[in-house]
Amino acid sequence: MPELPEIETICTGIRPYIEGKTIANVVIRQTKLRWPIPQNLREVLTNLVVIAVLRRAKYLLLETNSNITVLLHLGMSGSLRIVNSDYLHTKHDHVDFIFTDGNILRYNDIRKFGYILYSSKPIQQHRLIKVLGPEPLSASFSDRYLYSHAKNKKTSIKAFIMDSHNIAGIGNIYANESLFMAGIHPARLAGDISLKHCKELVRCIKIVLNLAITQGGTSIQNFINAHGEPGYFQQSLAVYGRANKDCVHCATTIKQQKIAQRSSYFCPQCQSL
DNA sequence: ACTGGATCCTGACTGC
DNA sequence: TGCAGTCAGGATCCAG
């Protein structure tokens, strides 16, 4: 389930193989993803040069030497790998971006929750991009920002930080881990979090995401990097997936509860309501 | 304006 | 062994 650190890992992994390279062809085996792949994707991309591989929230962006930017979202089961033509495609390998040097950027997505689109406008103006909140690792995501935007909100703090319109790229795993580290109960109302606690939460979100990036992301079900290798952050998870186990701090039993339709894990002792 | 629920999908897992 | 049911989850859409 790729979140920000996983996309960052993939971005770093594929960049050396495709930046500055020319797209020779695009093979689409399955168009029915979350949204249909544009019918003319192959026609539009052929002969373009990828000049930059970027990440915004959980989107991976391929900038080209024309006005076209490819926008990729991996949903929850998507992966991208660099392969060559010796690797035969398998069941859920939906799209191949084939480069003139023989490398292939292969998109696989078991659950088809992801999507591939392109934009001919500046990508910041794209309807999916312009509504995003600040990057959590940027300076603009501050205690002041969190406090002022969460003020008066009657939703849970967990749902709030997972909403990409508020903060971009935090999914269920890192929301759980950040709230645990900050000692904040996931069901607390966003509007009730003090400036002091906002400061602590912002600090913890940045620590958790940075640590996950250095460990190559989290492989819970099927995350793999551009070379087909798993990440290692799952070994550092303090609460996510640890229902009925002992809290790493106080040995209280970790509780699991659905909050905002998502499995939430917390220590009832360390994280006060 | 704001909030929460339904929805898309497949595979792993559980229980009978 | 086989089948049915449940769960995982990002982000959009829609209803209240």
Side-chain angles (χ1 to χ4, degrees):
Chain A
M1 45 193 85
E3 299 182 27
L4 187 155
E6 289 75 36
I7 306 301
E8 189 66 36
T9 299
I10 290 169
C11 212
T12 309
I14 66 174
R15 185 174 291 130
Y17 295 89
I18 67 169
E19 224 169 58
K21 302 294 170 63
T22 303
I23 298 171
N25 196 4
V26 180
V27 176
I28 302 168
R29 300 185 193 86
Q30 169 65 270
T31 58
K32 286 164 64 181
L33 302 181
R34 173 75 171 83
W35 289 310
I37 293 178
Q39 288 187 342
N40 61 351
L41 186 72
R42 173 175 181 270
E43 184 187 327
V44 166
L45 294 183
T46 299
N47 294 325
L48 296 189
V49 180
V50 174
I51 57 166
V53 180
L54 307 168
R55 180 191 61 72
R56 174 72 172 103
K58 294 172 191 167
Y59 296 98
L60 205 132
L61 306 172
L62 308 182
E63 278 187 6
T64 70
N65 60 336
S66 80
N67 58 343
I68 301 292
T69 302
V70 180
L71 190 148
L72 268 142
H73 195 292
L74 300 180
M76 77 164 280
S77 58
S79 67
L80 282 168
R81 291 184 68 177
I82 297 289
V83 296
N84 60 41
S85 55
D86 293 342
Y87 287 78
L88 300 178
H89 65 85
T90 57
K91 191 174 176 187
H92 302 290
D93 288 335
H94 304 316
V95 179
D96 279 359
F97 297 86
I98 303 170
F99 290 83
T100 51
D101 65 358
N103 276 327
I104 299 170
L105 179 65
R106 179 164 285 169
Y107 177 81
N108 176 292
D109 190 355
I110 294 173
R111 295 180 204 175
K112 301 191 182 82
F113 265 35
Y115 39 93
I116 300 173
L117 304 170
Y118 71 84
S119 172
S120 47
K121 293 185 299 191
I123 198 67
Q124 294 80 5
Q125 292 172 23
H126 191 276
R127 65 180 181 91
L128 294 170
I129 302 296
K130 68 181 180 189
V131 295
L132 295 170
E135 283 291 321
L137 294 176
S138 71
S140 53
F141 178 56
S142 64
D143 51 347
R144 290 275 166 200
Y145 172 87
L146 181 61
Y147 183 69
S148 63
H149 282 76
K151 204 163 62 178
N152 301 326
K153 291 288 190 304
K154 302 216 180 323
T155 191
S156 66
I157 185 64
K158 178 155 179 276
F160 184 84
I161 63 172
M162 284 179 67
D163 186 335
S164 60
H165 303 101
N166 300 322
I167 308 153
I170 301 175
N172 200 30
I173 294 174
Y174 299 109
N176 277 297
E177 292 298 314
S178 302
L179 286 163
F180 173 75
M181 188 184 277
I184 297 169
H185 195 290
R188 274 188 68 179
L189 294 187
D192 286 350
I193 309 288
S194 67
L195 179 60
K196 186 181 155 207
H197 280 120
C198 282
K199 187 173 184 177
E200 183 61 6
L201 182 54
V202 167
R203 192 181 74 88
C204 292
I205 286 171
K206 291 175 192 273
I207 290 173
V208 166
L209 293 177
N210 274 319
L211 189 61
I213 290 170
T214 63
Q215 300 193 13
T218 304
S219 296
I220 291 292
Q221 293 186 348
N222 47 19
F223 169 71
I224 50 169
N225 67 16
H227 308 293
E229 302 150 348
Y232 294 96
F233 190 71
Q234 64 276 13
Q235 293 159 14
S236 306
L237 295 175
V239 282
Y240 183 85
R242 298 194 65 248
N244 301 318
K245 295 189 173 153
D246 293 349
C247 170
V248 295
H249 289 163
C250 71
T252 302
T253 303
I254 298 294
K255 282 226 155 63
Q256 179 181 7
Q257 184 186 322
K258 280 238 176 190
I259 297 168
Q261 295 178 286
R262 292 288 172 258
S263 278
S264 304
Y265 302 87
F266 59 93
C267 169
Q269 183 69 32
C270 298
Q271 295 168 269
S272 57
L273 248 181

